[in-house]
Amino acid sequence: MKFPLNDPQRAAVRYTDGPLLVLAGAGSGKTRVITAKIAHLIEQGANPAGIAAITFTNKAAREMRERIGAPLRRRDGAAAAPTICTFHALGLKILRREAASMHLTPRFSILDPGDIEPIVAELLATGDRARVRAAQWQMSAWKNALISPDQALARAATETEAAVARIYGGYGAALSVYQAVDFDDLIALPVAALEKDAGTAAHWQGRLDYLLIDEYQDTNPVQYRLLRLLTGSRAAFTAVGDDDQAIYGWRGATLANLEQLPRDYPSLKVIKLEQNYRSSIRILRSANALIGHNAKLFEKALWSELGLGEPIQVAPAADDQAEAESVARAIAALKFEHRGRFDDFAVLYRGNHQARAFEQALRAQNIPYAVSGGQSWFDRTEIRDLVAYLRLIANDDDDPAFVRAVTTPRRGVGAQTLEHLGRGLFAAACDGALIGTLPARQREALSEFCKMINSLRYRAEREPAGRLIDELVKTIGYEDYLFSSCDKREAQTRWESITDFVRWLSRKGEADERNLLELTQSIALLTLLEGEEGQDADAVRLSTLHAAKGLEFAHVFLVGLEEGVLPHREAIAAGNVDEERRLMYVGLTRAQRSLRLSWCKRRKRAGEWQSGAPSRFIGELAQEDLRHAETALEAGDAARDKEAGNARLRQMRAMLAR
């Protein structure tokens, strides 16, 4: 398959003589470059199995596999496919092989923040959830910055930080007891394994001949260390990123990795992709003007051949309700005018709390919508219940999984029984002498539970995953449990979620040719929201600016553009307006055809109305391309505007009916 490429794209694809940084502006075709480069490497004789493309989300990896799949199938059907996965999935692959050197069983558990919370609460000796979550966040930041427990304690600037630093080592020891890791360990432990043993590093450098890293600007220090260890002295890699879209500093990502790249690799070649295939000239002119206020690591300016486009509309509103109603009416009118689809439209905002007013306004206009950033399938209570069983089947040292599984559905095993068992819960529960002193009901419940788990573990390597998970659900009586503990509607919804999960796991086991034990670790890395939920629905997208990165829409409404909202007041106080400006830049560059900006003259905070001022970012746009509403939608004006808008909609609908 031949990919249509412009000159800089073609240069990026063909350059394989050393380390390469591709500065890919918004809408400049970076995924096209990565997939074309994989095809080019294979055409030049590279072993597909030695090529790895690393992304940040499962959705990005899935899309890349779909794009590259066709050219690979056209040639040698027997050829191994390249590795296309997230950083964490690659880390998991390395850690499985090197588990022994990290004192782990290959079937170690992967704990999510919900599993970790009670562990940290016990170490801190507190029931304050906010304090526990802050401690989890702090330890995650230390791991991603490669800061050890001793270093954390030495650097602690406050007593709060010192308290977390004192439990940091104990937290790692607790995970070790449970033969478990957290998400951060999936990068940090492979780095430790590669640094610990030169032979291990040489093995992985030999397996991975060429690396391509997507969204390089979003890497944190430990991910950059992993990249350096995997590429070694050959430095055969292509990093693709855009410093203007670095919006994850709060998550540990650092632009220092971009800044450091030319220093660590003096022969680094830099290629810029500046032609935008998404947006009109007016939109790009404002985006360039805005981002020009940030200090630049690399100079870059987007340009387009898609025409001048419509002026950017800027409208103040009396409050967030008036803003939402105005946006809903505009969407209805634009859809009628352009004969388009609802999924041509997106409403983008700084924080999730802003969605509610727009949901209400869209419902009032009978406009379908989908909210990005909702609950993941794997975060649902019923799915977490079943996953606890799977984790315990794979790893009987996983005490958090044991507690959840043995108590759901209820078996009469409560806190006193668990306290009697101590740690190493599953082994203790299977110890006839230890449980012999328990009352008969608890003793029998634990005995039956252990027999079931051991039987499933034995069969897990011999029988299809779908059959076993289906049998598990029936054996524990989960359907009866739901309908006896929830109201009928909730029980039905949750049961449908379970049956969907069983079908999904069965299909995945067959497609990947993996048994139940092998699938269990993979489940921890998956989220349904990364591209699957609502993809085919014709609905307006409501999304935070962070969640909208990588997406595009014909018509974008960028809302809540006030000082203190965007840029956020905490970012202003911390002197981090540059990242907020990049966030605004990401929002602007999602738009293809039209862009509308709005801000509120007042907004309720903590139950009190506060005056709002337009964001400084509006003043940093290309002013010649803006069209400002003449007056704000004051309370009386809002009502008149609403009635006038509704009248126009009635007229248009009447015309359509005729």
Side-chain angles (χ1 to χ4, degrees):
M1 175 179 176
K2 295 298 181 184
F3 294 83
L5 302 170
N6 61 34
D7 289 343
Q9 289 173 335
R10 191 175 299 108
V13 166
R14 292 179 177 177
Y15 185 79
T16 57
D17 296 333
L20 172 66
L21 172 62
V22 179
L23 292 169
S28 64
K30 68 179 179 65
T31 304
R32 184 191 309 169
V33 167
I34 294 172
T35 53
K37 186 151 195 171
I38 292 172
H40 176 72
L41 287 166
I42 294 169
E43 286 170 356
Q44 296 302 303
N47 177 9
I51 301 170
I54 312 303
T55 69
F56 275 81
T57 66
N58 294 318
K59 176 189 173 185
R62 184 167 53 251
E63 290 177 348
M64 205 171 287
R65 280 193 293 268
E66 288 169 357
R67 290 204 197 187
I68 198 62
L72 283 180
R73 283 195 298 270
R74 279 207 214 296
R75 288 187 292 277
D76 183 3
T83 297
I84 301 175
C85 64
T86 64
F87 261 106
H88 289 91
L90 178 63
L92 175 58
K93 184 179 290 190
I94 296 171
L95 193 53
R96 277 178 181 148
R97 183 184 185 274
E98 311 305 334
S101 69
M102 295 290 103
H103 308 293
L104 285 170
T105 171
R107 293 176 185 167
F108 56 85
S109 297
I110 303 170
L111 304 189
D112 65 23
D115 302 315
I116 292 164
E117 189 175 320
I119 299 172
V120 177
E122 182 180 350
L123 290 168
L124 282 175
T126 181
D128 185 339
R129 294 190 72 187
R131 186 181 168 204
V132 171
R133 289 172 178 174
Q136 288 177 251
W137 187 265
Q138 180 63 74
M139 289 189 289
S140 172
W142 283 333
K143 284 190 181 185
N144 287 322
L146 295 163
I147 295 173
S148 69
D150 288 342
Q151 291 170 326
L153 190 57
R155 299 180 189 185
T158 65
E159 176 52 35
T160 299
E161 281 190 14
V164 179
R166 284 193 288 270
I167 70 158
Y168 186 16
Y171 168 67
L175 292 186
S176 180
V177 168
Y178 300 143
Q179 284 293 290
V181 301
D182 61 24
F183 282 147
D184 302 312
D185 288 329
L186 293 178
I187 311 294
L189 291 180
V191 164
L194 295 172
E195 289 184 331
K196 180 180 175 181
D197 183 68
T200 299
H203 168 82
W204 285 99
Q205 289 166 9
R207 280 187 61 171
L208 299 173
D209 302 320
Y210 202 93
L211 260 65
L212 300 101
I213 303 92
D214 192 15
E215 303 287 9
Y216 177 76
Q217 78 282 349
D218 293 336
T219 56
N220 59 37
V222 72
Q223 288 164 340
Y224 181 49
R225 182 76 66 86
L226 182 62
L227 164 66
R228 296 208 68 195
L229 288 165
L230 290 176
T231 55
S233 58
R234 289 178 58 244
F237 69 83
T238 294
V240 182
D242 181 9
D243 50 330
D244 292 335
Q245 297 187 75
I247 59 174
Y248 289 110
W250 55 275
R251 211 165 61 183
T254 173
L255 277 174
N257 287 354
L258 259 174
E259 199 171 4
Q260 189 65 27
L261 208 56
R263 297 176 193 155
D264 290 337
Y265 300 96
S267 63
L268 180 76
K269 185 176 180 65
V270 179
I271 295 175
K272 301 176 186 178
L273 306 183
E274 297 172 291
Q275 182 174 359
N276 176 284
Y277 293 93
R278 175 185 300 155
S279 307
S280 69
I281 290 171
R282 287 188 195 271
I283 292 169
L284 295 182
R285 216 151 46 190
S286 274
N288 287 333
L290 173 78
I291 207 64
H293 287 77
N294 277 4
K296 307 286 272 185
L297 286 177
F298 303 93
E299 287 297 330
K300 181 174 83 282
L302 296 180
W303 59 275
S304 172
E305 293 181 339
L306 298 178
L308 187 62
E310 301 176 15
I312 298 171
Q313 304 293 325
V314 183
D319 53 37
D320 56 350
Q321 182 180 344
E323 179 185 43
E325 290 174 351
S326 177
V327 166
R329 289 193 299 275
I331 288 173
L334 279 168
K335 182 179 183 296
F336 179 89
E337 179 184 345
H338 293 288
R339 301 292 194 272
R341 291 169 52 89
F342 284 117
D343 60 7
D344 289 336
F345 298 87
V347 181
L348 309 181
Y349 37 77
R350 177 64 176 81
N352 277 313
H353 66 279
Q354 294 170 260
R356 182 174 299 174
F358 294 95
E359 290 191 66
Q360 293 171 346
L362 291 170
R363 281 200 300 266
Q365 292 283 354
N366 293 317
I367 295 174
Y369 65 87
V371 183
S372 292
Q375 188 185 43
S376 164
W377 196 29
F378 295 100
D379 284 337
R380 296 175 187 174
T381 300
E382 62 274 13
I383 303 302
R384 288 171 62 86
D385 287 343
L386 282 195
V387 170
Y389 280 90
L390 302 186
R391 281 170 36 196
L392 186 60
I393 291 167
N395 171 21
D396 58 23
D397 287 317
D398 190 337
D399 279 4
F402 176 91
V403 172
R404 185 167 195 136
V406 81
T407 57
T408 312
R410 298 177 186 87
R411 295 179 171 82
V413 176
Q416 285 186 328
T417 304
L418 293 172
E419 189 174 343
H420 176 83
L421 295 176
R423 277 197 172 172
L425 291 171
F426 185 80
C430 296
D431 184 337
L434 182 62
I435 67 172
T437 58
L438 291 172
R441 183 185 174 196
Q442 283 80 11
R443 187 171 64 247
E444 290 170 8
L446 288 172
S447 179
E448 287 301 314
F449 180 77
C450 289
K451 286 178 184 175
M452 176 186 67
I453 297 298
N454 281 326
S455 172
L456 288 169
R457 179 180 297 123
Y458 174 79
R459 295 167 58 195
E461 293 183 283
R462 298 164 175 82
E463 298 179 35
R467 179 195 303 167
L468 292 180
I469 188 69
D470 187 53
E471 183 176 320
L472 169 64
V473 171
K474 290 175 182 173
T475 301
I476 65 176
Y478 199 83
E479 183 178 12
D480 291 340
Y481 161 71
L482 288 178
F483 281 91
S484 64
S485 59
C486 308
D487 66 62
K488 186 174 181 180
R489 179 177 296 180
E490 181 187 358
Q492 187 61 41
T493 299
R494 291 174 63 180
W495 179 244
E496 288 173 1
S497 178
I498 287 292
T499 55
D500 286 344
F501 179 70
V502 170
R503 283 195 296 266
W504 172 82
L505 198 65
S506 180
R507 289 195 305 268
K508 188 162 182 62
E510 291 177 7
D512 296 353
E513 296 182 348
R514 303 175 84 178
N515 64 41
L516 196 63
L517 300 177
E518 293 166 334
L519 285 172
T520 299
Q521 288 177 331
S522 302
I523 291 171
L525 301 183
L526 299 174
T527 59
L528 189 69
L529 285 182
E530 291 187 323
E532 292 181 23
E533 184 174 85
Q535 255 198 342
D536 299 325
D538 183 18
V540 174
R541 177 73 65 95
L542 301 182
S543 174
T544 63
L545 287 160
H546 285 99
K549 187 163 174 281
L551 304 178
E552 58 184 34
F553 305 91
H555 310 284
V556 168
F557 292 79
L558 193 45
V559 301
L561 297 180
E562 298 125 53
E563 285 292 301
V565 179
L566 185 66
H568 195 276
R569 58 185 179 278
E570 291 180 8
I572 296 171
N576 195 23
V577 172
D578 281 4
E579 182 157 320
E580 295 289 293
R581 186 176 284 111
R582 292 194 291 268
L583 197 54
M584 173 82 168
Y585 175 85
V586 166
L588 296 174
T589 53
R590 300 311 93 198
Q592 296 169 313
R593 293 165 58 186
S594 76
L595 180 61
R596 300 190 178 207
L597 317 179
S598 58
W599 60 279
C600 297
K601 296 193 75 177
R602 63 175 191 160
R603 186 180 291 274
K604 226 172 205 179
R605 282 184 184 154
E608 294 185 0
W609 288 105
Q610 295 184 8
S611 297
S615 168
R616 69 188 73 183
F617 297 152
I618 296 175
E620 294 175 359
L621 305 178
Q623 297 300 303
E624 68 273 18
D625 292 319
L626 306 187
R627 297 295 180 270
H628 292 266
E630 293 183 6
T631 58
L633 296 173
E634 303 294 356
D637 291 334
R640 287 191 292 274
D641 176 81
K642 179 177 180 179
E643 179 52 38
N646 288 336
R648 285 195 297 273
L649 282 173
R650 286 194 295 271
Q651 289 173 351
M652 286 189 283
R653 285 169 180 156
M655 289 169 55
L656 185 61
R658 289 198 297 270

